[in-house]
Amino acid sequence: MGHPKFQWTGLDTAAKIFPCTSGRRDTKVFRMVCELKEPVQPQKLQEALDQTMDFFPGFQTFLKRGLFWYYLEHTDLQPVVRQEYRAPCAQMYDREVPSLLFEVTYFQRCINLEVFHAISDGTGAMHFLRVLVFRYLKLIHAAELAHLPELDYDASESQSMDDSFEHYANRQKHPKISKVKTAFRLRGTKTPNNRLSVTIGTVPAGALLQVSRQYGTSLTILLCALVMQAVHEEMAVRDERKPVVLAVPINLRNHFNSASARNFFGVMDVSYDFSQGSGTLEDLIAKLSERFHAGLSPAELQFRVNQYIALIENPFARVTPLFFKDLGMRLGNHLVSKRETSAVSNVGIVRMPEELQAYIEKLEVFVSTEKVQLCALTYAEKMTLSFSSAFLNADLQRHFFRSLTALHIPVEIDTNDLEG
């Protein structure tokens, strides 16, 4: 059954850049995986997906081109569950072939949700996956789970479709934030056929949390510091004249009251200059802590909301035809990319009813990228650390996971087969 309450809507403020900057290498698609402890039953998964769609009207849409902006149009096309049939995070948006902007596939014990960033960010998509898995397991294990109440995601349709940037922008001047002009850039041989190399390490969340406490810092800062040290291992001495810069997405829902299933995030750059610092874990954590403290201040958070709105409301941008906007945003995306070495995204803790832990092994998330990116996620006692990479060489990932074992953190590694 369709959702008659809207026929079309504009992309949310942050999403406007994704259609024009997606390509075969960086598709702007991310994948979330729920690995169960039993094989997936496709028919029940399809039934659960049909039920889930009622909560997320923004997912049942086509992306269309207008004269000035892209927009989403409702479609009656129903999503169909399929066995996994192509490489992770393959291109999903094709302007010549209207199609849904997300997909649910399965393979053995894994349920995969892939989403084009134009309709949702990681948090919004995780809400979708939680509801999907919850309803699937209730169908499979009806006798044991029938008593469970609905999940805590109870946003109304209007809340689910809310563009929270519009809601919280106050149009005030923003603080000045210094930007690194050029960052150290990772180099190497790219993977064949635009395939994404994926390396996933699973670690006990409690053990890693204990290490972060020993250093007096947060898990996210510790992960950033370890990634920077891994990058440093790949740098020649002459490269140290350029800083290592990590892009760190911030879930703005943690700071503004929003239940939107669409994009609502900002990006903070954190940097370290190895020609100026000692490069020890303690020094990295100290420098990063300063930047995180400033970056998560109310003034900078408000700035991140305002900066998106300022671009969209620019009088010149509003009357510029979409073709020229595409060119401008591609150029802007390229310039921003030159200022960043890599990215680290910690989705945080995913909570599900305790009764489901008997059926869920772990959760994972990773994204398409033209570089190397780390995504972290914690469910129950397991944290998954997922590197996606456009390069064949995996030395950076190797350095990172070795640094964890050096901290007495046991790691289980899984990788995808680039030949398959």
Side-chain angles (χ1 to χ4, degrees):
M1 183 173 178
H3 298 274
K5 294 185 180 178
F6 83 91
Q7 289 301 313
W8 65 271
T9 185
L11 292 180
D12 66 71
T13 303
K16 286 182 166 56
I17 194 171
F18 295 122
C20 60
T21 56
S22 66
R24 294 186 184 279
R25 175 65 71 179
D26 186 1
T27 59
K28 307 298 183 189
V29 171
F30 55 91
R31 172 180 286 202
M32 293 181 160
V33 182
C34 177
E35 182 180 335
L36 302 174
K37 295 181 179 179
E38 57 198 12
V40 174
Q41 298 184 31
Q43 286 188 326
K44 293 295 184 185
L45 183 57
Q46 179 67 58
E47 197 174 332
L49 178 57
D50 293 341
Q51 295 177 13
T52 302
M53 292 305 295
D54 287 336
F55 292 90
F56 299 90
F59 279 63
Q60 195 160 348
T61 52
F62 288 160
L63 182 63
K64 296 288 190 71
R65 289 173 60 87
L67 179 59
F68 296 105
W69 296 107
Y70 293 89
Y71 64 96
L72 297 173
E73 184 174 282
H74 171 78
T75 173
D76 291 326
L77 184 68
Q78 295 296 312
V80 177
V81 168
R82 300 179 63 178
Q83 186 168 356
E84 187 170 14
Y85 62 99
R86 58 180 181 174
C89 301
Q91 194 167 20
M92 191 166 285
Y93 169 58
D94 183 341
R95 57 185 293 182
E96 304 298 332
V97 184
S99 60
L100 292 171
L101 303 172
F102 79 101
E103 190 170 66
V104 175
T105 61
Y106 65 93
F107 183 72
Q108 296 179 352
R109 295 181 297 149
C110 293
I111 298 173
N112 308 315
L113 170 65
E114 292 202 342
V115 180
F116 183 45
H117 226 317
I119 59 169
S120 185
D121 60 14
T123 302
M126 183 53 72
H127 286 318
F128 188 104
L129 182 64
R130 289 174 68 234
V131 174
L132 175 65
V133 171
F134 175 80
R135 290 188 168 266
Y136 170 77
L137 289 175
K138 283 194 76 169
L139 289 170
I140 296 290
H141 301 282
E144 298 90 340
L145 303 177
H147 67 286
L148 287 182
E150 289 296 325
L151 280 180
D152 54 358
Y153 184 71
D154 58 354
S156 66
E157 182 167 312
S158 61
Q159 288 173 320
S160 170
M161 292 295 292
D162 180 47
D163 182 353
S164 296
F165 289 97
E166 286 280 0
H167 188 81
Y168 286 106
N170 62 13
R171 279 75 175 174
Q172 293 178 357
K173 291 184 179 179
H174 55 75
K176 289 187 177 179
I177 301 174
S178 59
K179 291 279 187 182
V180 174
K181 292 184 178 177
T182 305
F184 168 70
R185 302 183 72 181
L186 294 162
R187 296 177 289 272
T189 304
K190 294 291 182 75
T191 54
N193 303 317
N194 299 317
R195 297 284 298 272
L196 197 64
S197 170
V198 181
T199 306
I200 299 175
T202 304
V203 303
L208 192 56
L209 182 63
Q210 183 63 31
V211 170
S212 70
R213 286 173 176 163
Q214 289 171 2
Y215 282 91
T217 191
S218 69
L219 271 175
T220 303
I221 292 177
L222 177 65
L223 293 176
C224 287
L226 293 175
V227 169
M228 284 183 161
Q229 283 193 325
V231 171
H232 188 218
E233 294 276 354
E234 295 295 292
M235 298 172 70
V237 173
R238 63 179 179 279
D239 292 329
E240 292 184 352
R241 65 181 186 272
K242 294 180 180 178
V244 175
V245 181
L246 301 181
V248 181
I250 302 168
N251 180 14
L252 294 173
R253 298 174 187 80
N254 293 337
H255 308 277
F256 299 87
N257 183 23
S258 169
S260 176
R262 306 174 79 186
N263 290 281
F264 192 43
F265 70 96
V267 177
M268 169 176 63
D269 284 345
V270 296
S271 65
Y272 187 85
D273 190 336
F274 282 93
S275 69
Q276 302 294 320
S278 65
T280 62
L281 196 55
E282 290 82 358
D283 193 47
L284 279 156
I285 288 172
K287 298 289 186 187
L288 290 171
S289 297
E290 291 176 12
R291 185 69 199 101
F292 269 76
H293 180 72
L296 298 178
S297 65
E300 280 207 25
L301 290 169
Q302 185 64 57
F303 156 68
R304 296 187 198 292
V305 174
N306 291 346
Q307 88 179 137
Y308 283 107
I309 291 292
L311 288 173
I312 302 307
E313 294 187 348
N314 180 287
F316 178 74
R318 296 180 71 162
V319 299
T320 301
L322 183 57
F323 173 78
F324 295 106
K325 281 195 183 82
D326 281 353
L327 295 177
M329 285 195 276
R330 283 190 205 114
L331 175 62
N333 185 63
H334 175 70
L335 295 176
V336 169
S337 178
K338 288 178 65 177
R339 298 201 300 256
E340 296 168 349
T341 306
S342 181
V344 173
S345 176
N346 185 3
V347 174
I349 300 172
V350 178
R351 302 187 191 283
M352 297 285 277
E354 193 173 335
E355 291 86 345
L356 300 190
Q357 287 188 23
Y359 309 103
I360 298 174
E361 182 67 32
K362 60 184 177 181
L363 298 174
E364 302 164 357
V365 59
F366 52 87
V367 302
S368 67
T369 179
E370 290 183 299
K371 303 175 182 175
V372 180
Q373 179 157 347
L374 171 64
C375 291
L377 182 156
T378 302
Y379 171 70
E381 297 300 319
K382 293 182 179 178
M383 174 178 248
T384 49
L385 303 164
S386 307
F387 279 98
S388 49
S389 171
F391 301 107
L392 281 173
N393 187 314
D395 286 344
L396 188 155
Q397 295 89 314
R398 197 169 296 115
H399 296 316
F400 175 85
F401 287 120
R402 282 178 178 169
S403 69
L404 287 181
T405 55
L407 291 168
H408 308 292
I409 307 291
V411 185
E412 294 180 10
I413 303 288
D414 291 309
T415 61
N416 66 332
D417 178 13
L418 291 179
E419 301 298 326

